[in-house]
Amino acid sequence: MSERPRLTVLSGPSGVGKSTVVAHMRKEHPEVWLSVSATTRKPRPGEQHGVQYFFVTDEEMDKLIANGELLEWAEFAGNRYGTPRRAVLDRLEAGEPVLLEIDLQGARLVRESMPEAQLVFLAPPSWEELVRRLTGRGTEAPEVIERRLGAAKVELAAEEEFDTTLVNTSVEDVAGELLALMKVL
């Protein structure tokens, strides 16, 4: 009998490419279940409710938090994000590999509530590359970019809190390394 899959948490600074790595990995291995977060942020062009996020109102988010229905939640750039607890536990109990792609604050909260979780830090090849990615999106106002860069410095300093660090030099390589850590390969 194989051991029960652990929850794997992928975190790292904003703009490091977490979503890109996860999208690539899931294209190759759709059996990896990615938890869909709830957020009070407005959808970006092309985002769908229930796919990238569950888009909720502030009131709905208040209820989720008050009822203890979130494994973790955090406020980032003026919006709140959270991981629905029940869905994660159901998948793990069913023996499925579960991946959470969340921010540093969220990763710390998961560590507290589920110490057996495997925390993986996705690092940029360099600070310059991270700045290029954050400013190159073209979807955010300059003050939002400044906030993100400030947050990224703090997030990079937390690397030693994680079990493993992967450097995002190549999406394919990192996706493969992540799958190996999750024992999917």
Side-chain angles (χ1 to χ4, degrees), residues 37-51:
S37 297
T39 183
T40 56
R41 166 169 85 59
K42 297 286 171 264
R44 289 186 184 136
E47 288 183 332
Q48 294 171 286
H49 179 76
V51 179

Side-chain angles (χ1 to χ4, degrees), residues 69-86:
E69 290 176 42
L70 300 176
L71 188 59
E72 58 78 32
W73 71 274
E75 191 160 331
F76 185 74
N79 295 299
R80 290 182 291 170
Y81 297 80
T83 303
R85 179 189 303 273
R86 186 74 257 153

Side-chain angles (χ1 to χ4, degrees), residues 91-113:
R91 297 291 172 139
L92 286 171
E93 282 162 20
E96 295 178 44
V98 174
L99 181 64
L100 288 191
E101 177 208 321
I102 53 178
D103 73 345
L104 173 63
Q105 225 179 322
R108 285 173 171 155
L109 289 166
V110 170
R111 169 72 86 209
E112 282 173 30
S113 61

Side-chain angles (χ1 to χ4, degrees), residues 29-67:
H29 288 273
E31 73 274 18
V32 172
W33 189 73
L34 177 68
S35 171
V36 177
S37 297
T39 183
T40 56
R41 166 169 85 59
K42 297 286 171 264
R44 289 186 184 136
E47 288 183 332
Q48 294 171 286
H49 179 76
V51 179
Q52 288 83 5
Y53 289 98
F54 293 111
F55 295 98
V56 298
T57 63
D58 277 317
E59 294 73 31
E60 289 169 321
M61 186 63 93
D62 290 342
K63 272 194 191 129
L64 289 171
I65 293 165
N67 295 336

